[in-house]
Amino acid sequence: MLEFVRFLQRHDMADSQTLIRAELFLSNMRTNLKARQSVDRAKFQDEDAQILVTQEDFNMFYDSIKAKSAVLALETVPSLLIREIVNLRNFLIASIILENACRPAALYDFKVSTLEKAKAHPITDANGKERFAFPSFQDKTVSSTGKPTYIVLSPQLMERLLIYVRKFRGKIAARSNRDIGDVFLKEKGTKMNTENVSMAYRLVLFTCRS
C-alpha cells in the first residue's frame, strides 16, 4: 500500500495533502498492528502459563504413537517427509517444555549455536549428574526479574536435539533462501514466532490427551 502511495507521488497523481493523510493513515495502521501483535503474544504466554501438566500427561506424551515414532526416527535416522520432520520437531519442542516446566516463549530464537555451546560446556546438577543448560531471554518473567530463564537438557534430550539438527533440520532449512540458524523452523524454513512454538507444543500435548 505504501508503495502505491509513493507511485502516485512520483507521477503527480495526487495532491500533497492527500499523500500526507495517506502516509499518516498507513503509519497508524502499522502502529495498531504492532500493538495488536504484542497483546496477542502476551495473551498466548498467559494462556500457556495456565496449562496444567500432570504426571499423567507426561506419561501419555512419551507413550503416544507420535512420540514413539519420533524416538524411532531419532534412533534409526531414516529418510523422512517434511510432515514427519515437523512431527519430530514438535516432539522435541514439547520434550523441552515438559521437562523444564517453562513457557513455550522460552524457545523463541533458540539457535543451533546456542545448542552447540551448551553441549561443549556441560554442568553437574545437585545429584552429580551431567546436564546441559542455556539461558533464554524470551520468557515473560525476564522483563520482571531481569534474569534469564535457564533451560536444562538431559544427556538423552541433548543427543536427540543434535541428531535432529544434524540429520533432519537441514531439509526444512533448505526450503528458505536463507538459513536463519534457529533450531526449530516453520515448514518453509522460516522463523517460528512465539505463537508458532506454543501451537506446536499444544498440538502435541492435546493430541496425547484426546
Side-chain angles (χ1 to χ4, degrees), residues 9-179:
Q9 187 175 28
R10 286 195 301 270
H11 292 79
D12 297 323
M13 298 172 68
D15 62 78
S16 59
Q17 289 301 316
T18 300
L19 293 172
I20 291 172
R21 286 196 296 270
E23 290 195 357
L24 180 61
F25 175 74
L26 290 173
S27 177
N28 288 336
M29 282 185 64
R30 287 195 297 270
T31 300
N32 291 337
L33 180 59
K34 288 180 180 178
R36 178 70 248 175
Q37 289 174 336
S38 297
V39 171
D40 290 344
R41 187 175 296 112
K43 181 173 180 290
F44 255 81
Q45 291 200 35
D46 287 339
E47 289 176 354
D48 288 331
Q50 293 171 16
I51 296 176
L52 179 63
V53 178
T54 65
Q55 184 62 45
E56 184 180 6
D57 288 320
F58 200 84
N59 295 338
M60 285 194 297
F61 168 67
Y62 284 107
D63 286 339
S64 69
I65 295 174
K66 286 195 172 185
K68 289 180 178 179
S69 65
V71 171
L72 181 62
L74 290 165
E75 292 175 345
T76 59
V77 194
S79 177
L80 297 181
L81 300 173
I82 292 296
R83 61 179 175 79
E84 294 172 320
I85 297 176
V86 168
N87 174 59
L88 184 54
R89 178 203 69 190
N90 293 350
F91 164 75
L92 291 170
I93 287 174
S95 295
I96 296 173
I97 293 170
L98 287 173
E99 292 190 13
N100 283 271
C102 64
R103 291 185 177 92
L107 295 183
Y108 173 72
D109 209 33
F110 177 27
K111 301 293 186 184
V112 172
S113 58
T114 300
L115 180 68
E116 293 173 339
K117 184 176 180 180
K119 172 64 175 176
H121 299 89
I123 61 173
T124 303
D125 68 13
N127 297 317
K129 295 182 178 180
E130 184 180 63
R131 294 286 185 267
F132 304 92
F134 63 89
S136 170
F137 295 88
Q138 305 299 330
D139 195 289
K140 186 180 178 182
T141 56
V142 176
S143 60
S144 58
T145 64
K147 298 179 181 179
T149 295
Y150 274 86
I151 305 299
V152 180
L153 307 174
S154 65
Q156 183 185 57
L157 187 48
M158 169 60 83
E159 187 61 26
R160 287 174 175 175
L161 283 164
L162 289 174
I163 291 172
Y164 170 77
V165 166
R166 294 167 182 170
K167 303 295 183 180
F168 299 106
R169 176 188 172 279
K171 192 169 182 178
I172 292 182
R175 307 185 89 192
S176 175
N177 294 328
R178 184 172 66 91
D179 189 340

Side-chain angles (χ1 to χ4, degrees), residues 171-210:
K171 192 169 182 178
I172 292 182
R175 307 185 89 192
S176 175
N177 294 328
R178 184 172 66 91
D179 189 340
I180 58 175
D182 288 13
V183 172
F184 302 121
L185 300 167
K186 293 168 73 172
E187 289 86 335
K188 293 183 178 180
T190 52
K191 194 175 193 68
M192 295 185 77
N193 59 32
T194 54
E195 290 84 356
N196 298 144
V197 178
S198 176
M199 291 306 295
Y201 163 63
R202 295 185 194 199
L203 177 64
V204 172
L205 181 62
F206 295 153
T207 298
C208 294
R209 287 176 171 176
S210 60

